[in-house]
Amino acid sequence: MRQSHLFTKTRREAPKDEVAKNAQLLISAGYIHKEMAGVYSYLPLGLRVLNNIMQVIREEMNAIGGQEVELAALQSPALWKKSGRWDDVAIDVWFKTELKGGGELGLATTHEEPLSALMTEYVQSYKDLPRAVYQFQTKFRNELRAKSGIMRTREFIMKDLYSFGRDEKEFRDFYETCAGAYKKIFARIGIGGQTFRTFASGGSFSKYSDEFQTLSDAGEDTIYVHREKGIAVNKEVFNDEVLADLGLKKDELEEVKAIEVGNIFPLGTKYSSALGLTYKDEKGEPQPVVMGSYGIGPGRLMGTIVEVLSDAKGIVWPKEVAPYPVHLISISGGNADVVAEADRLYDLLAEHGIEALYDDRDVRAGEKFADADLIGIPSRLVVSEKTMSSGGVEMIISDGRLPAGRQGATTLVPESDIIERLSK
Ligand code: ATP
Ligand code: MG
């Protein structure tokens, strides 16, 4: 992508109405656009990051047998009345809309009811279980607090997976498998070290659920973390009984702020019973399906990465989620040979399947580097008169933690080595 063609631009001043660092940086760098409080649009660079995060999640969900669907966002009240959740007290974030011809519809906040109803058409016998079904689907929640940028929005994509099992054991096996997949996801997108499996309230159908919480002062939750054991307890359930259950001692735990990036939840037979999702066991007796739900917010993850990994100069994307793997920058000062060399390198990268963001704009070097620091692509190639006379290209490959251009040291690499080094 030639930056001279990109319709978005960076801006030096952070938007004044944003208090969250993630929104300030993402808007300044041209990743997102604010529509109104708690509502954001994703621009070309931002959509690439979001899609990369979703692809990591998709791969890990497919690896544990998840089958991808996409359910409708418009929901019929009939199904929600069966479970008692059409009520605004049961779900206090509903957006509902009246139909012109009479009647009402709900805008999806979650999908237990519609998916349980759908599965009744396909699950009849014990042979049809277990199953795991997931989607990346737009949720609407009329959130009161919308001050955390893209980490808490009124409209957002959620990866929600639902598991359907024959009994508690089958459910539990999948639950643990999914917890393992979540660990892999957070590690791959670069926040594994800061993210802890956290015991949280199980609601009405189970003693506990598990949240995945990323340590950050920008978080809205308070948790008590045991770093060596790699587990934590949410303040909501922090009491002597829980500590005893988990074999933890109060004075070994550290109180910290954290962001809930994911949540896995035992549902028992609450929705299967309400929606009539049963199967016939080996004896031909009808049994309710045992369910679980497993959510992750890709937008909240993107905001979390920015909160946790950015520095004073801008965003720092881990390799797996960066909008482009490499930022190619030409410093030509009007020299046509430099332009030609940078163009050639851009084409060479493309031939090798390496997508680059190419800063081919006619602007000063200082502006290009400041923009590159703000945008935060982990590897950088610089072509200038100086590098050409030294017979190479200036190259910085980040180790996935440090941003390009911020390590101090740059290497002059002969062109013949560039492709190999970037492919690593
Ligand atoms: P919270 O307690 O933060 O409001 P929740 O417990 O209501 O979240 P879940 O229903 O468990 O959220 O949703 C699953 C995941 O979806 C969350 O772990 C989070 O990553 C994401 N998510 C939830 N609400 C939002 C939101 N308003 N904006 C962006 N992502 C969200
Ligand atoms: Mg939750």
Side-chain angles (χ1 to χ4, degrees), residues 38 42 93 109-110 112 139-143 145 149-160 182 186 211-213 220-221 236 259-265 293-301 304:
Y42 286 80
V93 291
T109 62
T110 181
E112 284 83 1
K139 307 288 188 248
F140 298 89
R141 292 185 180 182
N142 198 353
E143 301 273 4
R145 297 167 296 163
I150 59 168
M151 298 195 300
R152 181 176 297 285
T153 54
R154 299 198 161 96
E155 173 183 342
F156 61 97
I157 294 175
M158 191 195 286
K159 185 289 295 177
D160 43 335
Y182 272 34
F186 301 128
E211 293 172 344
F212 290 81
Q213 296 270 4
E220 295 178 3
D221 289 17
E236 290 168 4
I259 303 163
E260 182 203 309
V261 289
N263 196 184
I264 61 177
F265 224 94
S293 74
Y294 312 78
I296 294 188
R300 186 175 288 184
L301 276 181
T304 301

Side-chain angles (χ1 to χ4, degrees), residues 84-94 96:
R85 291 211 294 175
W86 183 247
D87 195 303
D88 288 331
V89 176
I91 293 187
D92 61 2
V93 291
W94 268 120
K96 294 175 179 174

